Amino acid sequence: ILFDKRIAAHIFKTSFHFKLFIGEDCSSDKTTEICISLKKKYSCKIDLYLNEKNLGASQNGIQTYKRVFNSDAKYIAILEG
């Protein structure tokens, strides 16, 4: 629930165009469900990447960073956790 509130807070507090890139790494809690719900609710603001298996923090991060850095984003902020 906390994760859901944090993401929603970022979405509503901004007045400029942005996109969230989320690399979900098969979390054992409800993170995947929350991410899917957020993607449905804010589809134009979220790119969600669901891994088929847990890659570990480093590999998941590398894949997600590559997607972000290959996007047309002018500015990038990274949130991990």
Side-chain angles (χ1 to χ4, degrees):
I1 303 287
L2 182 60
F3 177 78
D4 188 13
K5 289 180 182 176
R6 284 187 197 165
I7 296 295
H10 288 289
I11 289 172
F12 291 118
K13 285 186 178 181
T14 60
S15 60
F16 55 89
H17 175 72
F18 71 94
K19 182 162 281 207
L20 294 175
F21 291 79
I22 301 175
E24 209 317 272
D25 201 22
C26 301
S27 298
S28 59
D29 58 10
K30 295 188 182 218
T31 302
T32 300
E33 295 166 15
I34 292 168
C35 288
I36 291 170
S37 174
L38 287 168
K39 172 66 177 170
K40 287 178 183 175
K41 196 171 184 179
Y42 308 106
S43 61
C44 64
K45 299 241 180 230
I46 295 176
D47 280 356
L48 175 60
Y49 302 97
L50 300 172
N51 294 316
E52 292 183 19
K53 64 177 185 172
N54 187 300
L55 304 176
S58 294
Q59 192 60 35
N60 184 52
I62 290 168
Q63 282 188 354
T64 304
Y65 297 156
K66 284 181 182 179
R67 290 177 176 124
V68 171
F69 294 128
N70 288 325
S71 73
D72 60 352
K74 185 174 180 181
Y75 302 103
I76 297 170
I78 298 173
L79 304 170
E80 296 182 7

